[in-house]
Amino acid sequence: YALWPMHLHVILLFSINLLQPTITANALTNETDRLALIKFKESITHDPHMMLSSWNDSMHFCNWFGITCGQRHQRVMALYLQGYKLQGSISPYISNLTFLRFINLQNNNFYGEIPHEVGHLFRLQTLNLNNNTLVGEIPSNLSNCSYARFINLLWNELHGRIPVELGSLLKLQTLQLSGNNLKEKSQHL
C-alpha cells in the first residue's frame, strides 16, 4: 500500500506533462491573434472617435471593441469596424487571424492596396470594404477564400481587371464592384 500513492503521483505528473504542450499551443495561437490585431491597430493613422482605445493589455483581445471571438477556441472570428472614419492601411498581418470569417471595414478612410494576404484567410465568408479609398488591383488569390459568400468592394479607387479566378468561388452569392475603375477582362493585343 505504501507504493500506491507514489505510483499515482508519477501517473499524475506524466498526465500533466502530456497536457502541457496543448495548453501552450492554444496560448500561442491566441497570442498570434492578439499580435495581429496590434499590427492592425498600428496601421491605423487616425481614429477620431477613439474606437480602438480598448485595444490594449487591460483586457483580453476578445473583449476589444469591434472584435468577435469564437466561444470554443477564443480565436478572432469577426472584425466589425464599419463607419468610424478610421484612416490607415489594412495590415497584411490580418492574414494571421486564421479563424477570421467576417471583415467589415466599410465607410471608413482605408487607403493603399487590399493586401494579397487576405487571400490566405480560407475561412473568410464576408469581405466588406466598400466606401473607402483603396487602390490597386483586386487580389486574384481571393479565390482561395472558398467559403466566401459576400464580397463588397464598391466605391473605392481600384483599377485593373476583375480577376477571372473569382469565378471559382462556388459559394459566392454577392460580388459588388461598382464605383471603381475596373475592366471586365484584360486586354490582349
Side-chain angles (χ1 to χ4, degrees):
Y1 292 103
L3 291 177
W4 179 249
M6 180 60 121
H7 180 68
L8 277 177
H9 183 69
V10 170
I11 290 173
L12 182 61
L13 283 175
F14 182 72
S15 298
I16 289 171
N17 284 335
L18 284 177
L19 292 175
Q20 192 169 5
T22 305
I23 293 166
T24 304
N26 283 340
L28 287 176
T29 53
N30 286 349
E31 181 65 6
T32 301
D33 281 10
R34 189 185 75 78
L35 291 174
L37 291 171
I38 293 295
K39 288 293 190 182
F40 182 87
K41 181 181 179 182
E42 288 174 1
S43 71
I44 304 297
T45 57
H46 189 58
D47 179 7
H49 302 293
M50 304 295 291
M51 302 315 290
L52 304 184
S53 62
S54 68
W55 289 31
N56 58 56
D57 291 333
S58 68
M59 66 177 83
H60 191 272
F61 65 84
C62 287
N63 296 319
W64 291 355
F65 180 82
I67 302 299
T68 302
C69 288
Q71 296 287 331
R72 186 171 172 205
H73 298 294
Q74 292 294 293
R75 301 293 304 276
V76 176
M77 292 179 54
L79 182 59
Y80 294 120
L81 293 170
Q82 65 276 11
Y84 296 112
K85 298 184 181 176
L86 297 173
Q87 185 173 4
S89 59
I90 300 172
S91 171
Y93 286 93
I94 199 168
S95 67
N96 289 345
L97 300 171
T98 56
F99 278 67
L100 200 57
R101 288 178 172 82
F102 306 97
I103 299 174
N104 191 342
L105 302 176
Q106 71 177 339
N107 301 322
N108 282 294
N109 295 308
F110 283 97
Y111 55 79
E113 296 187 357
I114 300 169
H116 74 274
E117 288 83 357
V118 173
H120 300 298
L121 296 170
F122 69 93
R123 290 181 171 98
L124 193 66
Q125 296 174 19
T126 297
L127 178 62
N128 197 350
L129 302 176
N130 73 299
N131 201 22
N132 282 284
T133 55
L134 296 166
V135 298
E137 296 187 356
I138 298 170
S140 60
N141 71 342
L142 287 180
S143 62
N144 295 333
C145 303
S146 58
Y147 290 99
R149 298 180 191 284
F150 181 86
I151 297 176
N152 183 352
L153 305 176
L154 291 168
W155 304 110
N156 280 285
E157 298 173 14
L158 300 169
H159 65 270
R161 67 177 184 90
I162 299 170
V164 295
E165 294 87 350
L166 296 182
S168 68
L169 295 174
L170 301 179
K171 296 185 181 204
L172 191 64
Q173 298 169 357
T174 304
L175 176 62
Q176 297 178 316
L177 303 174
S178 299
N180 288 288
N181 297 311
L182 299 168
K183 302 171 189 164
E184 273 189 54
K185 47 187 159 177
S186 57
Q187 296 176 345
H188 298 290
L189 295 176

